[in-house]
Amino acid sequence: MTEPVPASRFHRKALASVAAVTLVATGALGTAFLPPSTPVHAQALPETPITVPEHPPGSFAPIVNRVKPGVVSVKVALKDDASDDDGPGGAQNVPPQLREFFRRFGENGAPNRPHRNGGRAAQGSGFFISADGYVVTNNHVVESAKSVEVTLDDGRTLDAKVVGTDPKTDLALLKVTEGNGSFPYVKLAHGAPQVGDWVVAIGNPFGLGGTVTAGIVSARGRDIGAGPYDDFLQIDAPINKGNSGGPTFNVAGEVVGVNTAIASPSGGNVGLAFAIPSETVQAVVDQLRTDGKVARGYLGLQIQPVTKDIAEGLGLDKAKGALVTSAQDGTPAAKAGLKSGDVVQAVNGSTVSDARELSRRIASMKPGTKVELSYLRGGKTDTATVELATLPNDGKVAARGERGQGSDAQPRLGLSLAPADAVGAGTEGVAVVNVDPDGPAAAKGIEPGDVILDVGGQPVSSVSDVQSRVRSAERDGRKAVLMRVKSDKGVRFVAIALQSKNG
């Protein structure tokens, strides 16, 4: 009988066999298995060099290395009368809607930080746009500046002066007054990024200059209540106090936006940052560089959005365009024949989606520019060529009279009316004497003392005129009747939905 092999002995034999196979396969110590008549010298394995890429796939390092030298930290010595209660750095002209944004975002979020020249200081970010030392930043960073200096990526701190500011877009242009006049700079992108595009933000959060963060474009065309020309990019790259005025880059290393504000319930980053798009930056900076100020095109229209109710009242299929509430006497729009009730639908053949877009597009053009406006009047489309004037300092391209829109109503409007001249309310229209607080007109924000000027696009001067226009709208199958109403807050359109008399 064959004697069984112990398990340990079997394992030793098996491991030896495996080892032999492994050694043969690798070629090391191969002499142990060759006939002794064949001498073979042992050789080291040839080394295969492992190539480690300088930058792993997907790295932002190449972009950052190229553009980071063009980004600067902006340090501001504040004027003695600058108050923390006035917004960042005591900026008196900061829109109230953004003061809370800026307190949290805080370019001037550390007003007691020491400054090289002494006194209170604040800080933000910026970037060179030319080799001769022009720097872009936010207006609210430097608006209350007594003096300004910038710190470059190489550690140099140089004096700068404010060339010009534009509070309406919150942009400012600086000029470095020291140095050799040959600075690294970055370029503004010509096209807008798409939602979902990668972006890289570089700036000076909490005084930590040269900080890089990355994210994507979350949305475009955001209106955050900062001013009449809001058109912000929304990005989710982490932005914090001190980033304001700094650039956001696309993957080509071009500036697509200037970081301006964040939305945050806590004051820290929650992924909601807003940047001024490069197209706006380019247009504003060009004028600041040549003129030190910005001159905007002016139509002389008061306009408001076309809501769903107003579209119904006008017989429009879609709630698009800008509804004219009035064309001011002597202005380009009035000279071109535009009037109350017109709906501006396009500028130079390009569709206008709403009143805000019309306001922004006209303001982006220089005075003296001729534009072709397409508008709807009485159900028919017409065009007018208008030469833009200069927007007055206190002028308003768009008055957004949205109060009191959007609820349902019925032909019995819940109003007591009288001819305006009979109650001393002027010489035109029908005055509102009393309003039923539970009626549809009250729900639309109509108040005693208001004057109804037009109903259904036609002027009214008596109570019967109003009733007649409402009945006419019903016969035409309209779901709403449109009224032009004057109050102490201005002139606006109000659309009241029509329901059955038993409704």
Side-chain angles (χ1 to χ4, degrees):
M1 177 180 294
T2 305
E3 183 177 351
V5 178
S8 58
R9 180 181 169 191
F10 175 81
H11 288 165
R12 287 197 297 270
K13 286 186 176 181
L15 290 172
S17 298
V18 172
V21 172
T22 304
L23 290 171
V24 169
T26 61
L29 303 179
T31 54
F33 300 92
L34 292 175
S37 59
T38 308
V40 177
H41 300 287
Q43 296 180 356
L45 284 173
E47 293 186 5
T48 303
I50 300 175
T51 303
V52 179
E54 182 181 359
H55 304 295
S59 172
F60 293 111
I63 303 168
V64 173
N65 292 340
R66 187 166 75 252
V67 302
K68 192 165 172 277
V71 182
V72 301
S73 298
V74 178
K75 298 180 181 179
V76 177
L78 300 177
K79 295 177 181 177
D80 295 335
D81 58 354
S83 167
D84 291 341
D85 294 333
D86 293 328
Q92 297 285 347
N93 295 323
V94 173
Q97 301 94 323
L98 271 189
R99 288 185 182 177
E100 184 60 24
F101 269 120
F102 294 156
R103 281 195 190 94
R104 294 171 179 171
F105 199 34
E107 294 53 59
N108 297 317
N112 294 317
R113 187 181 297 271
H115 189 269
R116 187 173 68 170
N117 297 326
R120 293 195 311 143
Q123 59 187 3
S125 305
F127 56 96
F128 284 109
I129 58 167
S130 65
D132 55 352
Y134 283 96
V135 173
V136 172
T137 187
N138 278 141
N139 170 68
H140 73 262
V141 173
V142 299
E143 188 173 10
S144 293
K146 180 168 58 176
S147 63
V148 181
E149 58 191 29
V150 300
T151 300
L152 281 61
D153 189 53
D154 61 14
R156 288 181 293 164
T157 296
L158 306 174
D159 289 334
K161 66 177 181 179
V162 178
V163 175
T165 64
D166 182 41
K168 287 185 171 65
T169 57
D170 196 20
L171 289 168
L173 185 65
L174 313 178
K175 179 70 164 64
V176 174
T177 56
E178 294 184 278
N180 57 14
S182 180
F183 298 100
Y185 65 95
V186 294
K187 295 182 179 180
L188 294 168
H190 294 294
Q194 298 298 309
V195 173
D197 282 353
W198 281 108
V199 288
V200 176
I202 305 179
N204 182 38
F206 301 107
L208 301 172
T211 297
V212 180
T213 57
I216 63 169
V217 177
S218 304
R220 291 169 46 181
R222 290 299 197 204
D223 182 352
I224 62 175
Y229 312 121
D230 279 15
D231 185 28
F232 288 99
L233 298 176
Q234 179 185 325
I235 63 174
D236 69 353
I239 301 296
N240 286 289
K241 296 181 178 182
N243 272 110
S244 205
T248 287
F249 295 95
N250 60 21
V251 293
E254 301 169 323
V255 177
V256 294
V258 175
N259 302 318
T260 299
I262 62 172
S264 170
S266 63
N269 174 266
V270 294
L272 289 172
F274 302 97
I276 304 166
S278 59
E279 308 98 298
T280 301
V281 178
Q282 186 70 70
V284 170
V285 165
D286 285 347
Q287 290 199 56
L288 291 179
R289 190 169 181 173
T290 56
D291 303 325
K293 60 181 181 179
V294 177
R296 292 184 164 85
Y298 176 61
L299 280 174
L301 292 177
Q302 282 193 326
I303 54 179
Q304 71 179 65
V306 177
T307 64
K308 183 178 179 180
D309 282 351
I310 289 176
E312 293 284 1
L314 292 170
L316 300 175
D317 294 334
K318 296 181 179 180
K320 285 190 174 182
L323 178 61
V324 178
T325 59
S326 67
Q328 299 172 26
D329 291 341
T331 62
K335 293 176 182 177
L338 274 78
K339 61 182 184 180
S340 173
D342 292 343
V343 178
V344 180
Q345 298 181 310
V347 177
N348 292 334
S350 180
T351 302
V352 171
S353 61
D354 53 29
R356 183 167 62 95
E357 183 179 354
L358 175 61
S359 172
R360 189 173 61 245
R361 285 170 61 177
I362 294 300
S364 70
M365 301 177 184
K366 293 184 178 181
T369 302
K370 291 185 178 180
V371 298
E372 183 180 80
L373 300 180
S374 298
Y375 61 93
L376 186 71
R377 177 184 295 170
K380 296 181 180 180
T381 301
D382 203 350
T383 60
T385 300
V386 183
E387 183 174 341
L388 301 180
T390 300
L391 177 67
N393 289 335
D394 59 348
K396 294 182 180 179
V397 176
R400 303 177 188 175
E402 298 178 329
R403 180 175 63 91
Q405 299 169 359
S407 63
D408 291 332
Q410 56 188 0
R412 295 178 182 178
L413 303 177
L415 295 174
S416 296
L417 305 174
D421 55 2
V423 295
T427 59
E428 58 177 353
V430 177
V432 176
V433 178
N434 194 24
V435 180
D436 179 357
D438 298 321
K444 288 293 187 177
I446 296 178
E447 301 173 349
D450 291 351
V451 176
I452 300 172
L453 301 175
D454 298 345
V455 177
Q458 299 182 42
V460 293
S461 58
S462 66
V463 177
S464 61
D465 284 346
V466 176
Q467 295 170 336
S468 175
R469 303 290 181 265
V470 171
R471 287 194 295 268
S472 177
E474 287 184 291
R475 287 194 300 269
D476 292 342
R478 297 284 174 85
K479 295 181 180 180
V481 63
L482 191 67
M483 296 184 178
R484 189 165 67 107
V485 180
K486 180 174 68 174
S487 69
D488 56 0
K489 298 179 178 64
V491 178
R492 73 188 192 281
F493 280 92
V494 176
I496 301 180
L498 296 176
Q499 297 180 350
S500 65
K501 293 182 180 180
N502 296 324

